[in-house]
Amino acid sequence: MGRPDFEELEVYKLAESLANQIWDIVKKWDYFTKNTIAQEIFWSADSVCANIAEGRGRYNYQDNWRFVKIARSSLYETVKWLRLADARQLITSEEVSKFKPVVDKLLPKLNAYFSSIGHRE
């Protein structure tokens, strides 16, 4: 079986990188924090790359478009949770400096990917 084509998409690679960076951060938190905000952050971050992959696996542009729209919403949710984690001093400035460039690059790439769906399928 060949490698799924979604793995070659830069937007997917960025989303997966962000999800893995977040996982590395939240897995260190205490039980209460893991059981509350950490779950929300990693579920929303994982949802970004999962929905890109699922949409890519659909064979019509309408389904792909819908899943990428969900991925974009999940990215906005992830950013919101990260802002709360920062405000609550759960993440360090060093951690922010690692994932912020990925977020800053991912959002426009995801928007461009979203806009391109249907134009090439």
Side-chain angles (χ1 to χ4, degrees):
M1 182 173 176
R3 184 181 181 129
D5 70 343
F6 68 83
E7 292 179 352
E8 301 302 320
L9 298 171
E10 184 178 0
V11 69
Y12 175 82
K13 291 176 184 178
L14 287 167
E16 188 177 71
S17 173
L18 178 63
N20 287 332
Q21 287 178 15
I22 290 170
W23 174 257
D24 288 341
I25 293 168
V26 302
K27 71 182 182 183
K28 301 173 198 166
W29 290 352
D30 64 57
Y31 176 78
F32 174 78
T33 309
K34 282 182 184 176
N35 204 34
T36 54
I37 192 170
Q39 288 184 12
E40 297 292 340
I41 295 172
F42 73 72
W43 283 335
S44 64
D46 281 357
S47 177
V48 179
C49 50
N51 278 290
I52 292 169
E54 189 165 354
R56 195 68 183 165
R58 302 299 172 124
Y59 290 101
N60 63 61
Y61 75 89
Q62 294 97 340
D63 280 349
N64 191 5
W65 186 83
R66 184 172 63 85
F67 279 99
V68 174
K69 188 176 180 182
I70 294 167
R72 186 171 63 179
S73 296
S74 293
L75 179 57
Y76 283 122
E77 180 183 359
T78 302
V79 169
K80 185 269 306 198
W81 284 116
L82 289 169
R83 288 176 55 83
L84 286 176
D86 188 32
R88 295 172 185 175
Q89 300 176 342
L90 298 170
I91 52 180
T92 66
S93 58
E94 180 183 321
E95 290 167 333
V96 171
S97 70
K98 287 181 183 176
F99 68 73
K100 188 175 181 331
V102 177
V103 170
D104 290 346
K105 192 173 181 182
L106 178 55
L107 184 56
K109 292 274 186 196
L110 191 54
N111 282 332
Y113 181 55
F114 179 75
S115 295
S116 75
I117 295 172
H119 297 286
R120 63 177 207 273
E121 294 187 34

